[in-house]
Amino acid sequence: MKLYLAGCEIPAYRGLLALEGYPTVALSYWGLRRRTKFTKPYDLAEKFVDAPEILIDSGCHSINAKPNSDLTDAELLDIAGHYYDVFIADNLSRLSYFVEFDAHQLGHEWTREQRQRLEPLRDKAIVVWNPETGREGLELLCDEWANVGITQAGTDRLDGAHLLPQLAKTTDTKLFGLGMTKTAALEHGHWYGAASTSWISPSQFGDTIVWAGKELHRYPRRYKDMARARHKHAIADAGFDAEAVIADDPTEVLRLSVWSWRQFTDHINGSTGVTAPGNTHTDENVDPAPEAVDRLPQQARHAGVTPAVATPREKIPFPGLAVVQETAQDGTGGRPVLKTVDPGVRICDRCYLSSSCPAAQPGSACAFSLPVEIRTKDQRADVAAALLEMQAGRVFGLRFAEELEGGITNPVLSGELERLNKMLRTVEDMEENSVSVRITATQKGAETGLISRLFGRDEGERARSLPEPVTVERAAIETGFVDAEVIEDRAP
């Protein structure tokens, strides 16, 4: 993969890349229009004396990202005319590739007409895939054009781990990533080339980009001090002034970024085996001219539509799922149970981990499986314990790395510690065996006692009865009545 570091319409960035001897650069025509009125020709040969390959990006992704811009169709047509007829035409011999002016506002028909004009320049022209056309549109572009560009937003809507490597292997099309910002998309896209302005983010946003431990590290501004102190030795070993980087020297920080992106590109090319140069057609391997194909007569259309007849087939579960018959305790057949099984459909050639997997073999199925079964409480407890051990291992590993970096507080470690504590509390709640019962009852009216309503009339009568019989004399004494003789009974 060739990584074209963009932003060279700005003289300071262009000069820095020239001093660093970076081999592939890019500039945005739209960004250049914001800096110059084009009162005189813009000569790439004059601006890039010793620079190597140059990729010109039309910058239309910025226009397409703001569909409600103040530009009218007439203004866009004038800009597109200057881009093709003046800027590209005057610098065609100096540039290596240029991106078409794919302003969505002008419509698909206008884009199709412009592509017809680009036929004589198809070796250098990069046509851009519109995500609205879907996968079929991308495959059609790859069949018709030698260079196809895909934006970062377009990669988010693709199965890049499978489709892009397949297109790179099965077609002669050179795939270009435009406006790329995510390292994962760069690493697994099997690009011929990619343009990115991420290398200047330390200057624009105060980020830190450093290659260390065979990995490209990108830290946002809030972690700047921590990141630069942590990688101080790696920065110094690479030949840079570590103290100047820590002091936020703009030139040294950008030099470190350029070097880091170069190491990242070399890592991609070395690990995936993708080389940038395309297949050159020599006399020995030149493609034969296509033979003439007779045009078949157009089929007659009928007014009625014949419904398609689908061939019935046996239904089977999706890969990864299986229905097994459970066996009862007495040995007889039980109920059907849904379980997960190894789908057996993952192929090393299509796996996004094939570049780093130690067991990867071309044309082979995956060598690994995950025999996990969670059907009982004990199995669930075993899985929870395994997850705890896994998370604890991550925490201890980060702690060891923190010590190796001189004890500098690592915010990532703090987050993983909090996650481990949450997992511990969750498992502890699962293991607690406690039972609590709360009964709330209300009664309206007094015809039936509460105990009788809850537990039956017999229990209610038993609750109201005395434990043993009481004599009349004892009851009179306990209630305060005194036995007396009637002396005179007076009628009222």
Side-chain angles (χ1 to χ4, degrees):
M1 181 189 75
K2 296 181 179 180
L3 182 61
Y4 295 85
L5 296 187
C8 289
E9 64 274 9
I10 300 176
Y13 298 150
R14 182 171 66 244
L16 177 64
L17 292 177
L19 291 176
E20 295 299 311
Y22 195 81
T24 50
V25 298
L27 62 86
S28 170
Y29 168 78
W30 186 251
L32 193 61
R33 286 189 66 90
R34 299 172 180 174
R35 305 180 59 86
T36 179
K37 301 298 183 181
F38 292 109
T39 56
K40 60 179 182 179
Y42 190 91
D43 189 1
L44 289 179
E46 177 184 350
K47 304 295 183 181
F48 299 88
V49 179
D50 299 326
E53 294 190 16
I54 303 174
L55 183 147
I56 304 298
D57 190 348
S58 64
C60 283
H61 55 273
S62 299
I63 302 176
N64 297 333
K66 300 178 180 179
N68 298 324
S69 62
D70 297 332
L71 294 172
T72 63
D73 291 351
E75 291 173 335
L76 279 179
L77 290 174
D78 289 341
I79 296 173
H82 180 269
Y83 176 68
Y84 284 127
D85 301 333
V86 179
F87 188 79
I88 296 299
D90 292 348
N91 296 288
L92 189 61
S93 60
R94 183 63 188 87
L95 58 85
S96 299
Y97 300 98
F98 68 93
V99 180
E100 68 171 338
F101 197 89
D102 61 319
H104 296 171
Q105 180 177 334
L106 298 177
H108 298 291
E109 184 64 24
W110 181 86
T111 301
R112 187 183 63 81
E113 294 176 357
Q114 295 304 308
R115 288 177 180 175
Q116 293 179 354
R117 293 180 53 192
L118 296 179
E119 281 290 342
L121 308 176
R122 60 185 300 115
D123 291 340
K124 293 187 175 183
I126 301 176
V127 296
V128 183
W129 171 64
N130 187 346
E132 295 180 358
T133 62
R135 174 173 177 170
E136 293 77 9
L138 177 59
E139 293 176 342
L140 182 62
L141 280 183
C142 292
D143 290 337
E144 296 179 351
W145 289 89
N147 309 307
V148 174
I150 303 175
T151 62
Q152 177 67 70
T155 59
D156 296 337
R157 301 175 60 176
L158 284 175
D159 180 12
H162 167 61
L163 178 59
L164 297 184
Q166 181 184 11
L167 292 175
K169 293 179 181 178
T170 58
T171 66
D172 292 333
T173 303
K174 299 176 182 177
L175 297 177
F176 288 82
L178 304 177
M180 305 301 290
T181 57
K182 299 180 180 180
T183 56
L186 288 171
E187 193 167 3
H188 302 295
H190 285 250
W191 308 101
Y192 172 85
S196 175
T197 58
S198 295
W199 73 279
I200 61 179
S201 62
S203 176
Q204 291 181 326
F205 310 110
D207 298 346
T208 300
I209 299 177
V210 57
W211 174 266
K214 297 183 179 180
E215 183 180 356
L216 185 67
H217 300 271
R218 301 181 63 178
Y219 298 94
R221 182 176 183 177
R222 61 181 179 272
Y223 297 139
K224 176 176 62 177
D225 296 336
M226 178 272 296
R228 296 176 183 180
R230 170 183 295 180
H231 298 291
K232 178 179 179 180
H233 298 293
I235 295 173
D237 293 341
F240 298 96
D241 188 345
E243 297 299 334
V245 172
I246 294 175
D248 206 13
D249 180 79
T251 301
E252 200 68 7
V253 170
L254 282 181
R255 289 184 62 238
L256 174 63
S257 177
V258 172
W259 175 83
S260 299
W261 280 104
R262 178 178 290 182
Q263 302 304 310
F264 175 69
T265 307
D266 294 341
H267 167 72
I268 293 177
N269 294 334
S271 60
T272 61
V274 178
T275 54
N279 296 328
T280 56
H281 300 283
T282 60
D283 294 338
E284 291 78 7
N285 62 4
V286 64
D287 294 336
E291 299 179 358
V293 179
D294 294 335
R295 182 180 298 275
L296 298 178
Q298 184 177 5
Q299 296 180 355
R301 296 184 177 271
H302 302 279
V305 179
T306 303
V309 179
T311 302
R313 293 191 296 176
E314 181 183 359
K315 301 295 185 181
I316 60 175
F318 278 102
L321 297 176
V323 179
V324 299
Q325 197 71 22
E326 187 182 55
T327 303
Q329 294 181 355
D330 57 0
T332 61
R335 63 184 181 88
V337 178
L338 181 66
K339 290 188 175 182
T340 58
V341 296
D342 185 5
V345 297
R346 182 174 298 184
I347 307 299
C348 291
D349 295 341
R350 299 179 180 179
C351 182
Y352 74 100
L353 294 176
S354 59
S355 60
S356 57
C357 179
Q361 294 181 0
S364 300
C366 184
F368 302 101
S369 64
L370 294 174
V372 178
E373 180 176 309
I374 309 175
R375 297 287 171 173
T376 64
K377 292 183 178 180
D378 292 338
Q379 292 175 340
R380 184 181 64 180
D382 293 340
V383 172
L387 293 177
L388 281 177
E389 292 173 351
M390 184 189 307
Q391 181 63 18
R394 297 174 61 187
V395 169
F396 294 142
L398 288 172
R399 173 58 180 166
F400 178 67
E402 189 178 68
E403 288 296 322
L404 292 179
E405 297 296 338
I408 301 175
T409 302
N410 186 352
V412 179
L413 174 58
S414 301
E416 296 302 322
L417 280 171
E418 181 63 25
R419 184 176 288 110
L420 178 59
N421 288 329
K422 291 181 179 179
M423 294 174 63
L424 288 171
R425 289 193 294 269
T426 302
V427 173
E428 183 179 359
D429 294 339
M430 292 170 53
E431 294 177 348
E432 284 185 355
N433 296 322
S434 61
V435 178
S436 61
V437 178
R438 177 180 297 178
I439 300 176
T440 302
T442 60
Q443 176 182 353
K444 293 183 180 180
E447 66 278 1
T448 305
L450 179 60
I451 296 180
S452 298
R453 295 175 63 88
L454 293 176
F455 304 104
R457 178 171 297 178
D458 295 341
E459 293 296 331
E461 294 294 340
R462 187 177 295 109
R464 289 195 297 270
S465 64
L466 296 174
E468 59 182 7
V470 180
T471 63
V472 177
E473 292 80 2
R474 182 178 175 183
I477 295 173
E478 291 179 354
T479 56
F481 288 99
V482 179
D483 190 14
E485 181 180 356
V486 179
I487 299 176
E488 183 181 359
D489 183 9
R490 294 182 181 181

